[in-house]
Short mmCIF file of all heavy atoms in Angstrom, two decimals:
data_model
loop_
_atom_site.label_atom_id
_atom_site.label_comp_id
_atom_site.label_asym_id
_atom_site.label_seq_id
_atom_site.Cartn_x
_atom_site.Cartn_y
_atom_site.Cartn_z
N GLY A 22 19.60 -41.56 140.59
CA GLY A 22 18.35 -41.22 139.93
C GLY A 22 17.65 -42.39 139.29
O GLY A 22 16.48 -42.30 138.91
N VAL A 23 18.35 -43.50 139.13
CA VAL A 23 17.76 -44.72 138.58
C VAL A 23 17.73 -45.76 139.69
O VAL A 23 18.80 -46.24 140.11
CB VAL A 23 18.54 -45.26 137.37
CG1 VAL A 23 17.86 -46.51 136.81
CG2 VAL A 23 18.69 -44.20 136.29
N PRO A 24 16.57 -46.11 140.23
CA PRO A 24 16.52 -47.11 141.30
C PRO A 24 17.21 -48.40 140.88
O PRO A 24 17.17 -48.81 139.71
CB PRO A 24 15.02 -47.33 141.50
CG PRO A 24 14.39 -46.04 141.03
CD PRO A 24 15.24 -45.59 139.89
N THR A 25 17.85 -49.03 141.84
CA THR A 25 18.63 -50.23 141.56
C THR A 25 17.82 -51.28 140.80
O THR A 25 18.31 -51.86 139.82
CB THR A 25 19.16 -50.83 142.87
OG1 THR A 25 20.02 -49.88 143.50
CG2 THR A 25 19.93 -52.11 142.61
N GLN A 26 16.60 -51.51 141.22
CA GLN A 26 15.80 -52.54 140.57
C GLN A 26 15.54 -52.21 139.11
O GLN A 26 15.49 -53.10 138.25
CB GLN A 26 14.46 -52.73 141.31
CG GLN A 26 13.66 -53.94 140.82
CD GLN A 26 14.43 -55.25 140.97
OE1 GLN A 26 14.91 -55.58 142.05
NE2 GLN A 26 14.55 -56.00 139.87
N ASN A 27 15.40 -50.92 138.80
CA ASN A 27 15.21 -50.53 137.41
C ASN A 27 16.44 -50.87 136.57
O ASN A 27 16.32 -51.35 135.44
CB ASN A 27 14.91 -49.03 137.32
CG ASN A 27 13.56 -48.68 137.91
OD1 ASN A 27 13.15 -49.26 138.90
ND2 ASN A 27 12.87 -47.73 137.31
N THR A 28 17.62 -50.59 137.14
CA THR A 28 18.86 -50.93 136.42
C THR A 28 18.96 -52.43 136.21
O THR A 28 19.31 -52.89 135.11
CB THR A 28 20.09 -50.42 137.21
OG1 THR A 28 20.03 -49.00 137.28
CG2 THR A 28 21.38 -50.84 136.53
N LEU A 29 18.64 -53.21 137.24
CA LEU A 29 18.67 -54.66 137.11
C LEU A 29 17.73 -55.13 136.01
O LEU A 29 18.08 -56.01 135.20
CB LEU A 29 18.31 -55.33 138.44
CG LEU A 29 19.48 -55.71 139.35
CD1 LEU A 29 20.29 -54.49 139.77
CD2 LEU A 29 18.99 -56.46 140.58
N ASN A 30 16.54 -54.54 135.96
CA ASN A 30 15.56 -54.93 134.94
C ASN A 30 16.03 -54.56 133.54
O ASN A 30 15.90 -55.34 132.59
CB ASN A 30 14.22 -54.27 135.22
CG ASN A 30 13.56 -54.79 136.50
OD1 ASN A 30 13.93 -55.85 137.00
ND2 ASN A 30 12.61 -54.04 137.02
N LEU A 31 16.57 -53.33 133.39
CA LEU A 31 17.03 -52.88 132.08
C LEU A 31 18.18 -53.76 131.57
O LEU A 31 18.23 -54.11 130.39
CB LEU A 31 17.48 -51.42 132.16
CG LEU A 31 16.35 -50.39 132.34
CD1 LEU A 31 16.93 -49.04 132.76
CD2 LEU A 31 15.55 -50.26 131.06
N LEU A 32 19.09 -54.12 132.46
CA LEU A 32 20.22 -54.96 132.05
C LEU A 32 19.76 -56.39 131.79
O LEU A 32 20.29 -57.06 130.88
CB LEU A 32 21.32 -54.93 133.12
CG LEU A 32 22.02 -53.58 133.29
CD1 LEU A 32 23.08 -53.65 134.37
CD2 LEU A 32 22.66 -53.12 131.97
N GLN A 33 18.79 -56.84 132.54
CA GLN A 33 18.29 -58.19 132.31
C GLN A 33 17.65 -58.31 130.93
O GLN A 33 17.72 -59.36 130.28
CB GLN A 33 17.27 -58.56 133.39
CG GLN A 33 16.77 -60.00 133.29
CD GLN A 33 15.97 -60.39 134.52
OE1 GLN A 33 16.50 -60.52 135.61
NE2 GLN A 33 14.67 -60.58 134.33
N GLU A 34 17.05 -57.22 130.46
CA GLU A 34 16.49 -57.23 129.11
C GLU A 34 17.57 -57.41 128.05
O GLU A 34 17.29 -57.86 126.93
CB GLU A 34 15.72 -55.92 128.86
CG GLU A 34 14.43 -55.82 129.67
CD GLU A 34 13.81 -54.44 129.58
OE1 GLU A 34 14.34 -53.59 128.83
OE2 GLU A 34 12.79 -54.21 130.26
N SER A 35 18.82 -57.07 128.42
CA SER A 35 19.95 -57.31 127.52
C SER A 35 20.65 -58.62 127.82
O SER A 35 21.74 -58.89 127.30
CB SER A 35 20.96 -56.16 127.65
OG SER A 35 20.39 -54.93 127.23
N GLY A 36 20.04 -59.43 128.69
CA GLY A 36 20.60 -60.74 129.01
C GLY A 36 21.74 -60.69 130.00
O GLY A 36 22.55 -61.63 130.06
N ILE A 37 21.82 -59.61 130.80
CA ILE A 37 22.93 -59.43 131.73
C ILE A 37 22.45 -59.61 133.16
O ILE A 37 21.47 -58.99 133.58
CB ILE A 37 23.55 -58.02 131.57
CG1 ILE A 37 24.04 -57.82 130.13
CG2 ILE A 37 24.68 -57.81 132.57
CD1 ILE A 37 24.40 -56.38 129.82
N CYS A 38 23.13 -60.46 133.91
CA CYS A 38 22.81 -60.70 135.31
C CYS A 38 23.81 -59.98 136.20
O CYS A 38 25.02 -60.25 136.15
CB CYS A 38 22.87 -62.20 135.63
SG CYS A 38 21.71 -63.20 134.67
N ILE A 39 23.31 -59.05 137.02
CA ILE A 39 24.12 -58.38 138.03
C ILE A 39 23.36 -58.44 139.35
O ILE A 39 22.27 -59.00 139.43
CB ILE A 39 24.44 -56.91 137.66
CG1 ILE A 39 23.12 -56.13 137.49
CG2 ILE A 39 25.30 -56.84 136.42
CD1 ILE A 39 23.32 -54.64 137.48
N SER A 40 23.92 -57.82 140.38
CA SER A 40 23.30 -57.88 141.70
C SER A 40 23.09 -56.49 142.27
O SER A 40 23.81 -55.55 141.93
CB SER A 40 24.20 -58.69 142.64
OG SER A 40 23.75 -58.59 143.97
N ALA A 41 22.09 -56.40 143.15
CA ALA A 41 21.86 -55.14 143.86
C ALA A 41 22.92 -54.91 144.94
O ALA A 41 23.02 -53.83 145.49
CB ALA A 41 20.48 -55.15 144.50
N GLY A 42 23.70 -55.92 145.25
CA GLY A 42 24.71 -55.85 146.32
C GLY A 42 24.89 -57.25 146.83
O GLY A 42 25.11 -58.17 146.07
N SER A 43 24.76 -57.44 148.14
CA SER A 43 24.82 -58.79 148.67
C SER A 43 23.54 -59.53 148.30
O SER A 43 22.44 -59.04 148.54
CB SER A 43 24.96 -58.76 150.20
OG SER A 43 24.82 -60.06 150.72
N ALA A 44 23.69 -60.71 147.74
CA ALA A 44 22.51 -61.50 147.36
C ALA A 44 21.75 -62.01 148.58
O ALA A 44 20.65 -62.50 148.46
CB ALA A 44 22.95 -62.69 146.50
N CYS A 45 22.36 -61.88 149.77
CA CYS A 45 21.74 -62.38 150.99
C CYS A 45 20.98 -61.29 151.73
O CYS A 45 20.57 -61.48 152.87
CB CYS A 45 22.80 -62.97 151.91
SG CYS A 45 23.78 -64.26 151.11
N ALA A 46 20.84 -60.10 151.16
CA ALA A 46 20.18 -58.98 151.85
C ALA A 46 19.20 -58.29 150.93
O ALA A 46 19.30 -57.10 150.66
CB ALA A 46 21.23 -58.00 152.37
N LYS A 47 18.24 -59.05 150.42
CA LYS A 47 17.30 -58.52 149.44
C LYS A 47 16.41 -57.45 150.06
O LYS A 47 15.94 -57.56 151.17
CB LYS A 47 16.42 -59.65 148.90
CG LYS A 47 17.18 -60.72 148.12
CD LYS A 47 16.24 -61.82 147.69
CE LYS A 47 17.00 -62.92 146.94
NZ LYS A 47 16.10 -64.03 146.58
N GLY A 48 16.18 -56.39 149.29
CA GLY A 48 15.18 -55.41 149.68
C GLY A 48 15.61 -54.40 150.71
O GLY A 48 14.79 -53.63 151.19
N HIS A 49 16.86 -54.38 151.06
CA HIS A 49 17.33 -53.44 152.06
C HIS A 49 18.38 -52.52 151.46
O HIS A 49 19.18 -52.94 150.63
CB HIS A 49 17.93 -54.19 153.27
CG HIS A 49 16.95 -55.11 153.95
ND1 HIS A 49 15.96 -54.66 154.78
CD2 HIS A 49 16.83 -56.46 153.91
CE1 HIS A 49 15.26 -55.69 155.24
NE2 HIS A 49 15.76 -56.80 154.71
N ARG A 50 18.39 -51.28 151.91
CA ARG A 50 19.45 -50.36 151.49
C ARG A 50 20.79 -50.88 152.01
O ARG A 50 20.90 -51.34 153.14
CB ARG A 50 19.16 -48.97 152.06
CG ARG A 50 20.22 -47.93 151.71
CD ARG A 50 19.83 -46.55 152.22
NE ARG A 50 18.86 -45.92 151.32
CZ ARG A 50 18.25 -44.76 151.59
NH1 ARG A 50 18.46 -44.15 152.74
NH2 ARG A 50 17.41 -44.24 150.71
N SER A 51 21.81 -50.82 151.19
CA SER A 51 23.11 -51.39 151.54
C SER A 51 23.66 -50.82 152.84
O SER A 51 23.90 -49.62 152.96
CB SER A 51 24.12 -51.12 150.42
OG SER A 51 25.44 -51.38 150.85
N HIS A 52 23.88 -51.70 153.82
CA HIS A 52 24.48 -51.25 155.08
C HIS A 52 25.96 -50.91 154.88
O HIS A 52 26.52 -50.11 155.62
CB HIS A 52 24.33 -52.33 156.15
CG HIS A 52 25.15 -53.57 155.91
ND1 HIS A 52 24.81 -54.53 154.99
CD2 HIS A 52 26.31 -53.99 156.47
CE1 HIS A 52 25.71 -55.50 155.00
NE2 HIS A 52 26.64 -55.19 155.89
N VAL A 53 26.57 -51.52 153.87
CA VAL A 53 27.99 -51.24 153.59
C VAL A 53 28.16 -49.81 153.08
O VAL A 53 28.97 -49.03 153.61
CB VAL A 53 28.54 -52.26 152.57
CG1 VAL A 53 29.96 -51.87 152.15
CG2 VAL A 53 28.53 -53.66 153.16
N LEU A 54 27.40 -49.45 152.05
CA LEU A 54 27.52 -48.11 151.48
C LEU A 54 27.03 -47.06 152.47
O LEU A 54 27.56 -45.94 152.52
CB LEU A 54 26.74 -48.03 150.17
CG LEU A 54 27.18 -49.01 149.07
CD1 LEU A 54 26.38 -48.77 147.79
CD2 LEU A 54 28.67 -48.92 148.79
N SER A 55 26.03 -47.40 153.28
CA SER A 55 25.56 -46.47 154.32
C SER A 55 26.66 -46.20 155.33
O SER A 55 26.86 -45.05 155.74
CB SER A 55 24.33 -47.04 155.02
OG SER A 55 23.24 -47.18 154.12
N ALA A 56 27.38 -47.25 155.73
CA ALA A 56 28.47 -47.08 156.70
C ALA A 56 29.61 -46.24 156.13
O ALA A 56 30.36 -45.61 156.89
CB ALA A 56 28.99 -48.44 157.14
N MET A 57 29.73 -46.20 154.80
CA MET A 57 30.76 -45.39 154.15
C MET A 57 30.32 -43.93 153.98
O MET A 57 31.04 -43.13 153.41
CB MET A 57 31.10 -45.99 152.78
CG MET A 57 31.78 -47.35 152.86
SD MET A 57 31.72 -48.28 151.29
CE MET A 57 32.52 -47.15 150.16
N ASN A 58 29.12 -43.62 154.48
CA ASN A 58 28.56 -42.26 154.40
C ASN A 58 28.35 -41.79 152.96
O ASN A 58 28.50 -40.60 152.65
CB ASN A 58 29.44 -41.26 155.17
CG ASN A 58 29.41 -41.51 156.67
OD1 ASN A 58 28.35 -41.77 157.24
ND2 ASN A 58 30.57 -41.46 157.30
N ILE A 59 28.01 -42.73 152.10
CA ILE A 59 27.68 -42.38 150.72
C ILE A 59 26.26 -41.80 150.70
O ILE A 59 25.38 -42.25 151.43
CB ILE A 59 27.80 -43.61 149.81
CG1 ILE A 59 29.30 -43.98 149.67
CG2 ILE A 59 27.18 -43.38 148.44
CD1 ILE A 59 29.56 -45.21 148.85
N ARG A 60 26.04 -40.83 149.86
CA ARG A 60 24.75 -40.15 149.82
C ARG A 60 23.62 -41.11 149.46
O ARG A 60 23.80 -42.00 148.62
CB ARG A 60 24.77 -39.00 148.81
CG ARG A 60 25.78 -37.91 149.14
CD ARG A 60 25.51 -36.64 148.35
NE ARG A 60 25.30 -36.85 146.95
CZ ARG A 60 26.26 -36.93 146.03
NH1 ARG A 60 27.53 -36.82 146.41
NH2 ARG A 60 25.97 -37.12 144.75
N PRO A 61 22.44 -40.94 150.07
CA PRO A 61 21.33 -41.87 149.84
C PRO A 61 20.97 -42.03 148.37
O PRO A 61 20.64 -43.15 147.93
CB PRO A 61 20.18 -41.23 150.63
CG PRO A 61 20.86 -40.48 151.73
CD PRO A 61 22.13 -39.95 151.12
N GLU A 62 21.01 -40.94 147.58
CA GLU A 62 20.62 -41.06 146.17
C GLU A 62 21.61 -41.93 145.38
O GLU A 62 21.24 -42.55 144.37
CB GLU A 62 20.50 -39.67 145.51
CG GLU A 62 21.79 -38.87 145.46
CD GLU A 62 21.97 -37.96 146.68
OE1 GLU A 62 21.41 -38.27 147.75
OE2 GLU A 62 22.68 -36.95 146.55
N ILE A 63 22.85 -41.97 145.83
CA ILE A 63 23.84 -42.85 145.20
C ILE A 63 23.60 -44.29 145.63
O ILE A 63 23.62 -45.21 144.81
CB ILE A 63 25.28 -42.39 145.52
CG1 ILE A 63 25.54 -41.03 144.88
CG2 ILE A 63 26.30 -43.42 145.03
CD1 ILE A 63 26.92 -40.46 145.16
N ILE A 64 23.35 -44.48 146.93
CA ILE A 64 23.09 -45.84 147.43
C ILE A 64 21.87 -46.44 146.74
O ILE A 64 21.88 -47.61 146.33
CB ILE A 64 22.87 -45.82 148.95
CG1 ILE A 64 24.13 -45.33 149.68
CG2 ILE A 64 22.48 -47.21 149.46
CD1 ILE A 64 23.97 -45.19 151.18
N ASP A 65 20.83 -45.63 146.57
CA ASP A 65 19.58 -46.15 146.01
C ASP A 65 19.69 -46.49 144.53
O ASP A 65 18.81 -47.16 143.99
CB ASP A 65 18.45 -45.14 146.23
CG ASP A 65 18.08 -45.01 147.71
OD1 ASP A 65 18.46 -45.91 148.49
OD2 ASP A 65 17.43 -44.02 148.07
#
């Protein structure tokens, strides 16, 4: 329910650096979590 970018922004406001997943695959839904058949709302 919270888009990944929103979480990244909220944590960055607290000075915390995390990643959406692989740093080499910006802007794409995770192919790893998709291959694991995780629900789209969880992946997003």
Side-chain angles (χ1 to χ4, degrees):
V23 182
T25 298
Q26 189 59 53
N27 292 37
T28 297
L29 266 61
N30 292 343
L31 289 166
L32 293 179
Q33 185 169 292
E34 290 171 4
S35 296
I37 301 168
C38 299
I39 59 165
S40 170
S43 171
C45 304
K47 296 177 182 177
H49 301 284
R50 179 176 280 173
S51 167
H52 69 283
V53 173
L54 301 183
S55 296
M57 293 162 58
N58 293 317
I59 290 177
R60 298 196 311 274
E62 63 269 25
I63 294 179
I64 298 176
D65 292 343

